[in-house]
Amino acid sequence: MATKMILDCDTGVDDTMAIMYAALHPDIDLLAVGTVWGNVEVERGTRNTLRVLDIVGRGEVPVAQGAAGPLLGGPTEYAYHVHGDDGQGNAGDAEPVRAAEPTTAAQQIIDIVRQHPGEVWLVPVGPLTNIATALALDPELPKLVAGVSLMGGSASAPGNVSFVAEANIWHDAEAAQAVFAAKWPVVMAGLDVTMKVLITAEHRDQMLAGGPAGQYMGRIIEFYGEFYRDMVFGDWSCAMHDSIAVAAAAGHLDVQLAPVVNVEVDTTGGPGHGQTLVDLRGKYRGYPEQEGAHTTVLMEISDSIADTVVSLITDFQGA
Ligand code: RIB
Ligand code: CA
């Protein structure tokens, strides 16, 4: 049976790939997408999400707009330098042909999860504001979902917005702490693995030579890869990030190391703000069971998922 999923995205370039993957893969039943601020303003993220779903012929998937800023208020910072001013590598195209749902992303989660108790994976790949809001509105949610597979945080890799913090967690550390504290199964696809699964120039060229989804993805990823070339890797390639959380929920990953451990988030406002504090003390004993632990932290995975996702997107020839 296909894995039921609700994505929650701050739709920039890597989110776009994750949406295409979830929308096109036959093993995944994409029930809905929520949008959240992060890479770009939430309105722009919503437009991008609607447009991307059109491109992959999934215009029937409901999209609900969510939070425009962090749970407790405070400033928003966007990542135009990584994802382009439009969140689509400055290469997005026409406006979407439909509007978002007349509900919020948080309420959409609650309504859909309650229609399919125990079956739905929440897959947040942006700041966790909508997920924390849904939790606050419906405290029974942890008993009703299959799990939460999120892109965010780091156990031992360097941060990407500060020396210890990853962007999705740092953007709304209080929301992230609420999500890690809730008693539901969490899979953390953090920088430990997402910085090691790369989209290469060959992947880009493969997509550009493919169908409409591949051509769009190949075009918008250029700018994102240039950021990674200039700021991170030195040659044109980029981190796949968000698709890893989708793959984890769908059971598509070849996982070599993923201990189940306790995770807390630094919400102190100090230099460690937004860091995921991952209890790896059991490493030398093969990670024995930790009391109360419910977060599976991906530490080592095969990078073959990049080929799988790129081929899926490339091969789509239109609805
Ligand atoms: O740190 C990487 C994450 O931040 C990805 O989800 C990217 O899309 C941005 O949201
Ligand atoms: Ca994202």
Side-chain angles (χ1 to χ4, degrees):
M1 218 181 34
T3 304
K4 291 183 173 37
M5 233 180 250
I6 302 175
L7 274 178
D8 198 80
C9 303
D10 56 336
T11 305
V13 174
D14 61 318
D15 305 74
T16 296
M17 180 172 271
I19 293 169
M20 288 183 169
Y21 169 24
L24 290 174
H25 204 291
D27 291 355
I28 298 172
D29 181 5
L30 180 62
L31 298 176
V33 184
T35 61
V36 67
W37 71 288
N39 289 324
V40 289
E41 319 91 285
V42 70
E43 295 82 5
R44 204 176 292 253
T46 303
R47 269 204 310 276
N48 292 344
T49 303
L50 290 162
R51 177 66 189 130
V52 171
L53 285 167
D54 282 346
I55 291 169
V56 290
R58 295 297 310 273
E60 86 289 1
V61 174
V63 175
Q65 185 161 296
L71 205 56
L72 303 184
T76 50
E77 285 185 36
Y78 305 112
Y80 302 125
H81 59 300
V82 185
H83 297 267
D85 292 344
D86 61 355
Q88 301 284 274
N90 297 325
D93 58 14
E95 294 293 299
V97 292
R98 65 183 169 118
E101 300 297 305
T103 186
T104 63
Q107 191 60 48
Q108 176 174 259
I109 288 171
I110 294 165
D111 293 345
I112 294 177
V113 166
R114 284 194 168 272
Q115 284 160 22
H116 306 278
E119 292 185 57
V120 180
W121 275 90
L122 304 182
V123 184
V125 296
L128 291 158
T129 321
N130 292 337
I131 314 302
T133 303
L135 257 179
L137 289 171
D138 188 346
E140 290 187 351
L141 215 49
K143 286 189 276 181
L144 296 169
V145 299
V148 178
S149 179
L150 63 89
M151 190 281 134
S154 168
S156 60
N160 63 2
V161 279
S162 76
F163 47 92
V164 290
E166 182 280 329
N168 289 341
I169 306 298
W170 177 85
H171 273 311
D172 197 343
E174 287 76 14
Q177 172 57 23
V179 170
F180 280 108
K183 297 286 178 224
W184 46 16
V186 176
V187 178
M188 179 177 128
L191 299 174
D192 311 276
V193 288
T194 70
M195 288 298 286
K196 291 193 289 206
V197 181
L198 303 186
I199 301 300
T200 64
E202 288 72 31
H203 285 132
R204 175 202 58 200
D205 294 346
Q206 183 185 340
M207 290 191 287
L208 284 170
Q215 288 175 29
Y216 184 84
M217 194 67 232
R219 196 170 75 233
I220 72 165
I221 209 167
E222 183 62 32
F223 182 91
Y224 179 73
E226 286 170 6
F227 167 82
Y228 275 91
R229 178 193 65 202
D230 297 344
M231 304 305 291
V232 186
F233 297 127
D235 60 359
W236 197 102
S237 57
C238 42
M240 195 188 194
H241 287 318
D242 291 349
S243 294
I244 310 295
V246 174
H252 290 167
L253 286 183
D254 176 12
V255 177
Q256 283 93 50
L257 181 64
V260 181
V261 294
N262 284 303
V263 178
E264 303 266 342
V265 178
D266 185 322
T267 56
T268 57
H273 188 77
Q275 180 178 13
T276 41
L277 305 164
V278 180
D279 187 350
L280 297 181
R281 285 175 292 182
K283 176 177 177 181
Y284 303 105
R285 290 170 291 134
Y287 296 108
E289 204 173 309
Q290 278 180 22
E291 199 184 331
H294 54 96
T295 299
T296 301
V297 178
L298 300 179
M299 299 287 288
E300 287 171 25
I301 63 172
S302 155
D303 67 359
S304 60
I305 189 65
D307 293 344
T308 305
V309 173
V310 165
S311 294
L312 178 78
I313 292 170
T314 302
D315 293 347
F316 174 70
Q317 293 300 330

